[in-house]
Amino acid sequence: MAVFPINISRITGEFARHRGRSLSLMLALSAVVSGCDSRQGAAEASAERPSWGNTQAAGVISGNATRGQQIAQEKCGACHGADGNGSPDPHFPKLAGQSLPYLYWEIRAFKEGTRKSDMMAPNVTALAYEDIADVATYFSQQTRKPDEQKDESRVAEGQSLFYSRMPSCAVCHTAGSRRGMPMRGMMGGGMMGGGMGGMMGPGTANVPNLEGQRAAYIVDQLNRFASGERQGTVMNRMAASLDDANRQAIAEFLSSTP
């Protein structure tokens, strides 16, 4: 019977090499399983809480109007009125009947500091994103009351300017159901700081409805756009093309429009 020499070193090396491969395979499988568990856990955690930080991307903003009313009375009523129709000071804007996305993103901009106001910041900094959605929902559901018409000829001039300019102001700044449509039979083409249309976010949903808004507030914001203090690619150019009389006329037309 032949006896073959046994190479102990070779056998030990092969065993170590195969054991190393097995260990590497086990570690790799463990990492994959662990990664799946981690991703699944993150997905489950994400599903359990509202993604308020990414609401705009989802295209859904909704809130509790009852809670919003309570917050509005505590934080907003003194300047904007309990129902959002303003205070005696005409430089504070009306929030009643405003677009929900516009209100949400403008209040959020004040909270995050991308829109500056020494008066707004202390009132909104402590609000959670859910609170902002609630307040915006409440005010968006209120009916805005227009101001009384003061000068009929100036209002008529403002109406003409509002529709006859190219592009027409009405393309963006009217209620959603009438956007781009003439009002009153016309045919034809402050204190919050930034105000009136940062045009934040896509589409005209985030452009403010100005019908029934305070004339003094509109003039103030047009002046800010015209000077460049308020930034907006379209609004800077449009406001700068208007003289003081034009701005006042447009503002008075809008403030008295239901």
Side-chain angles (χ1 to χ4, degrees):
M1 178 176 176
V3 178
F4 297 95
I6 299 174
N7 191 329
I8 299 298
S9 297
R10 181 177 178 182
I11 292 175
T12 302
E14 288 293 326
F15 176 76
R17 183 161 57 86
H18 285 292
R19 183 176 64 179
R21 288 177 179 174
S22 299
L23 180 60
S24 297
L25 179 59
M26 290 176 65
L27 290 174
L29 289 172
S30 176
V32 170
V33 173
S34 176
C36 290
D37 289 343
S38 176
R39 286 191 294 272
Q40 181 179 359
E44 290 174 352
S46 176
E48 291 175 357
R49 62 178 183 272
S51 301
W52 289 102
N54 195 34
T55 306
Q56 186 179 32
V60 177
I61 298 174
S62 63
N64 185 313
T66 301
R67 283 195 70 248
Q69 182 178 17
Q70 296 172 350
I71 297 171
Q73 289 176 346
E74 178 184 347
K75 299 283 189 181
C76 317
C79 296
H80 301 288
D83 65 348
N85 270 290
S87 68
D89 190 332
H91 292 88
F92 289 109
K94 297 176 184 179
L95 304 183
Q98 189 56 271
S99 157
L100 172 56
Y102 177 78
L103 283 174
Y104 175 81
W105 287 104
E106 292 302 295
I107 297 172
R108 181 166 167 168
F110 282 121
K111 172 182 171 63
E112 296 174 349
T114 56
R115 187 170 160 191
K116 308 295 183 182
S117 170
D118 293 336
M119 297 194 71
M120 284 294 294
N123 290 296
V124 299
T125 300
L127 294 180
Y129 292 129
E130 292 92 335
D131 297 333
I132 295 175
D134 291 342
V135 170
T137 298
Y138 167 68
F139 280 127
S140 71
Q141 293 177 1
Q142 306 310 302
T143 300
R144 185 181 298 179
K145 302 170 185 176
D147 294 337
E148 292 183 8
Q149 187 177 113
K150 295 179 179 179
D151 186 327
E152 188 173 343
S153 62
R154 180 174 288 178
V155 168
E157 179 186 358
Q159 182 179 12
S160 177
L161 288 166
F162 190 76
Y163 286 104
S164 64
R165 297 182 61 79
M166 292 297 174
S168 167
C169 306
V171 171
C172 297
H173 293 292
T174 57
S177 62
R178 296 188 295 180
R179 182 166 291 123
M181 299 298 290
M183 291 180 286
R184 297 182 180 175
M186 179 68 185
M187 299 304 293
M191 288 289 189
M192 280 181 67
M196 204 188 93
M199 297 190 179
M200 301 167 61
T204 55
N206 289 351
V207 177
N209 165 28
L210 300 180
E211 296 168 357
Q213 188 56 272
R214 288 289 177 79
Y217 177 73
I218 294 175
V219 169
D220 177 59
Q221 300 311 308
L222 285 173
N223 289 340
R224 291 174 187 266
F225 278 119
S227 69
E229 176 184 346
R230 181 93 169 94
Q231 289 298 309
T233 304
V234 175
M235 286 303 302
N236 290 143
R237 184 176 67 253
M238 294 290 287
S241 70
L242 298 168
D243 60 26
D244 290 343
N246 291 158
R247 294 171 200 165
Q248 186 65 45
I250 290 175
E252 290 195 20
F253 161 65
L254 287 169
S255 70
S256 61
T257 299

